[in-house]
Amino acid sequence: MSFRSNIGTTRTTRRYYRKNRCIAFSSSSCIPFVLCFLMIFWMKNTPQTSVTSMGIVALGHIGVNGEIDIGDEAGADTTTLSTLESTVGSRRIPPTPPPDTSSSINNGEDEVTSCDCRWGGGEEDAEGVSNSEGARLAYLITVHNKQSIDNAAYLFQSIRHPSTIILLHIDTKVSKDTYLSSALRDEVERCSCGASVHVDSVHNCQWGRWSMNGPTHWAMDVLTSDDRFRGKWDVFINLSGDTMPVYQPSVMSKLFHPSTGPLRNTNFVTSSSCETGLLPTNVHIFPHWWHKWEHYNKNPDGDPVISYIDGNDGDAKEITMVTHFGSQWMALLPDFVEYVAKSLKNPNSLASRYRDFLINARKLMTDETFIPTLLVHAYPYNETLPVLKEDGSLDAMPSMKAIRYERMDEHVPSAFGYFNNQQRYEVPKSSEADEPKVWGPYFLGIYDLGDIVDSGALFIRKVSVNVDPNIVYMFPVSRESDIPYIRWPNELQISEKPNWERIKQEMMKKAKEEEEKKVKEKQ
């Protein structure tokens, strides 16, 4: 029996039952009558509340296609909402369901016989796909536990395309069975939709250590040395499993088109949490009390001077490497990727010597500094950094202020005094999602959409169906106007999730107390 995924189904049909009876808790007291009265009153005044333990259920379920199912065993009417109107401005926003990978089941067998390849053709279109309509994108998806594997199934659905290469790196800490029994594995093996997919488990990433760089460097080597992929892509983009693309594959490809795209000929190595936006941040602009400045400026001799052998002319050279902070998530051009991959195989190269310095000096956060710093100092690649307008937006695409949107370091003021006073999503106790680290990145949800629009980002992180599935189902879109401009209210407070068992016990306790009180009064 093979594992069958139901990730991304466009409609979930549930049957709801209502039982018109009261369950007696005791046949020899008046408690049942009190409880029946309270339950009837509660049912009439609390619509759409799920109470499965008593057989009382919600009145309706809104599917992601905007379909409302109302019914019981005897059957019910189904109402379809043809459109979903946004009250933001005058835009009319249709519902955007996640890609549908629901299968056609034959004779009750668990076998997927059809896939929703809405972004491109099926397997038969995988060969001979040109980049005439856009750049050929090569993605790396990194996952490190069950939760990130589950989230990555949605990411995989949203980027698969006949012109796309997708490398999947599974941290060696993850058990083999965790992946083999996952929806992601099902998507990869049954519904690649023409994408070239390669899965491997090579590195054990330890937070803060150099090993965090492993999967990205592994992917760079595969893309530049493996004949299956070498020369068949135009942009390398690495993503964590809890990421979603903002735009559909065709839109992304056109933005990065090697000849006409506004993002062409540019290496991006930052995210929205970087203090200097689309450009890497020079460590020396941080205040001296800031942890990043302190950690990278402990050397009394100043910035490290790296001696290396130039790969072009074979001469011995020296260069002062000023640390620049960026992001571990990047979008890089083939020539720079090949430069890094080849240099890391040469022990005397600038990349290898700088790597050795970072490891020997026990530097942390190297996944945020190694490649950004190398890009800033290595000619001619440092000429491919983003060109910005005065307001920090991209000169070739002024709507973009960040390539990735994320929320970080919001529990204290930033290095430059900015303090985010917006609320943020927290992980429910019942959720399978991992608690984010104290400084982030924090999970995103529907109330973050306005900030996502303002940033002009192409990717968002972190998202999870176990925190706010709505934002996962919304993306990717075909245009910015498809994203409703929803922001956090001034302050939001919501009720606890209704718990019928607890309410029932409180009602029983109260009824028992009232009964005991009446007995005492009669005495």
Side-chain angles (χ1 to χ4, degrees):
M1 185 71 70
S2 61
F3 180 82
R4 177 170 58 84
S5 165
N6 61 357
I7 290 288
T9 53
T10 57
R11 178 182 176 188
T12 304
T13 302
R14 298 179 181 174
R15 294 192 178 276
Y16 299 96
Y17 306 95
R18 182 182 297 276
K19 296 182 180 179
N20 297 316
R21 63 186 178 91
C22 180
I23 298 178
F25 300 100
S26 171
S27 60
S28 60
S29 72
C30 63
I31 293 178
F33 302 102
V34 176
L35 286 175
C36 283
F37 173 79
L38 291 173
M39 287 176 60
I40 293 170
F41 175 81
W42 177 73
M43 289 167 57
K44 289 183 177 180
N45 292 276
T46 313
Q48 298 188 357
T49 303
S50 175
V51 191
T52 55
S53 63
M54 296 298 295
I56 306 168
V57 297
L59 298 179
H61 168 74
I62 302 178
V64 293
N65 266 350
E67 297 175 345
I68 301 180
D69 299 328
I70 305 174
D72 53 25
E73 283 190 304
D77 295 331
T78 299
T79 303
T80 300
L81 303 180
S82 58
T83 58
L84 178 64
E85 292 192 43
S86 171
T87 57
V88 180
S90 59
R91 293 184 292 182
R92 186 177 180 86
I93 309 227
T96 306
D100 181 14
T101 58
S102 56
S103 60
S104 300
I105 307 301
N106 296 322
N107 301 322
E109 296 180 358
D110 259 351
E111 183 175 357
V112 176
T113 58
S114 65
C115 295
D116 177 11
C117 298
R118 65 177 60 190
W119 313 136
E123 296 291 343
E124 67 276 5
D125 298 322
E127 299 298 329
V129 177
S130 71
N131 64 340
S132 59
E133 295 184 359
R136 300 163 300 175
L137 305 180
Y139 286 102
L140 164 67
I141 301 176
T142 58
V143 295
H144 62 279
N145 58 16
K146 181 181 184 302
Q147 179 62 32
S148 61
I149 288 175
D150 292 343
N151 288 326
Y154 292 90
L155 170 59
F156 182 84
Q157 291 171 344
S158 301
I159 63 176
R160 59 188 178 192
H161 185 271
S163 66
T164 299
I165 296 170
I166 302 176
L167 306 183
L168 174 61
H169 183 272
I170 304 169
D171 197 290
T172 57
K173 292 189 294 291
V174 179
S175 69
K176 182 178 180 181
D177 290 342
T178 298
Y179 173 70
L180 293 179
S181 62
S182 70
L184 177 59
R185 184 252 186 140
D186 194 64
E187 295 292 330
V188 167
E189 295 190 0
R190 301 179 186 274
C191 296
S192 65
C193 296
S196 298
V197 181
H198 176 62
V199 180
D200 210 338
S201 181
V202 180
H203 295 279
N204 177 4
C205 299
Q206 301 294 326
W207 187 87
R209 304 293 181 85
W210 174 259
S211 58
M212 291 290 291
N213 294 277
T216 297
H217 297 170
W218 163 80
M220 289 178 164
D221 182 54
V222 170
L223 290 173
T224 56
S225 62
D226 193 314
D227 290 339
R228 293 173 296 172
F229 311 119
R230 179 178 173 82
K232 298 178 182 179
W233 54 277
D234 302 300
V235 181
F236 166 61
I237 302 172
N238 65 333
L239 305 170
S240 62
D242 51 16
T243 303
M244 281 294 285
V246 174
Y247 298 107
Q248 296 168 5
S250 60
V251 179
M252 293 286 196
S253 292
K254 290 178 181 178
L255 290 174
F256 284 103
H257 193 292
S259 300
T260 60
L263 307 184
R264 68 186 184 277
N265 302 328
T266 306
N267 284 298
F268 295 93
V269 292
T270 68
S271 66
S272 61
S273 62
C274 293
E275 286 80 355
T276 48
L278 287 163
L279 290 175
T281 305
N282 186 320
V283 70
H284 293 298
I285 75 169
F286 289 118
H288 289 190
W289 51 265
W290 192 245
H291 66 283
K292 292 180 179 179
W293 188 94
E294 288 185 331
H295 183 66
Y296 273 86
N297 286 278
K298 293 181 178 180
N299 186 353
D301 298 327
D303 298 310
V305 177
I306 305 298
S307 301
Y308 68 101
I309 305 298
D310 191 308
N312 294 321
D313 53 26
D315 292 342
K317 297 182 179 180
E318 287 187 347
I319 185 172
T320 300
M321 298 291 278
V322 179
T323 301
H324 282 71
F325 275 86
S327 170
Q328 68 187 104
W329 314 112
M330 317 164 203
L332 304 175
L333 299 172
D335 56 349
F336 181 64
V337 171
E338 186 165 13
Y339 163 75
V340 174
K342 285 185 175 181
S343 296
L344 288 174
K345 295 178 181 179
N346 178 0
N348 297 315
S349 68
L350 174 60
S352 291
R353 291 287 178 85
Y354 184 52
R355 172 201 61 199
D356 295 344
F357 162 77
L358 293 173
I359 294 174
N360 293 333
R362 298 178 179 270
K363 296 300 183 183
L364 303 176
M365 302 172 281
T366 57
D367 52 333
E368 299 177 10
T369 59
F370 175 68
I371 288 182
T373 302
L374 199 61
L375 178 62
V376 167
H377 290 86
Y379 177 84
Y381 310 107
N382 51 11
E383 296 185 346
T384 63
L385 288 163
V387 178
L388 308 184
K389 291 180 174 293
E390 290 185 2
D391 64 355
S393 63
L394 189 66
D395 185 66
M397 190 174 167
S399 62
M400 177 182 285
K401 295 181 175 62
I403 193 170
R404 286 170 175 77
Y405 180 79
E406 60 186 10
R407 295 184 64 174
M408 294 277 288
D409 289 332
E410 294 172 9
H411 62 300
V412 295
S414 71
F416 304 103
Y418 171 74
F419 185 78
N420 193 324
N421 59 6
Q422 290 181 338
Q423 292 178 262
R424 61 175 181 262
Y425 289 84
E426 293 188 349
V427 178
K429 294 180 180 179
S430 60
S431 174
E432 295 180 356
D434 298 325
E435 284 283 351
K437 295 185 184 298
V438 66
W439 50 83
Y442 304 110
F443 283 104
L444 304 176
I446 288 297
Y447 285 113
D448 294 303
L449 288 175
D451 289 329
I452 292 170
V453 171
D454 288 342
S455 73
L458 303 185
F459 300 92
I460 58 173
R461 174 180 183 261
K462 302 171 58 168
V463 295
S464 173
V465 291
N466 292 314
V467 177
D468 186 353
N470 299 298
I471 196 168
V472 177
Y473 297 156
M474 174 167 289
F475 293 107
V477 299
S478 60
R479 61 185 66 85
E480 183 184 279
S481 60
D482 288 342
I483 308 173
Y485 195 78
I486 300 174
R487 297 180 61 87
W488 283 91
N490 182 49
E491 186 173 9
L492 180 68
Q493 183 171 345
I494 62 174
S495 65
E496 293 182 359
K497 183 178 180 180
N499 183 333
W500 170 241
E501 287 299 327
R502 179 174 56 81
I503 294 173
K504 181 178 67 175
Q505 293 299 323
E506 291 174 354
M507 293 167 64
M508 292 176 62
K509 180 180 178 182
K510 186 174 181 180
K512 184 177 181 179
E513 290 174 350
E514 289 292 332
E515 180 183 6
E516 292 174 348
K517 182 179 179 181
K518 290 180 180 180
V519 172
K520 289 182 180 180
E521 289 176 351
K522 290 181 179 180
Q523 293 176 347

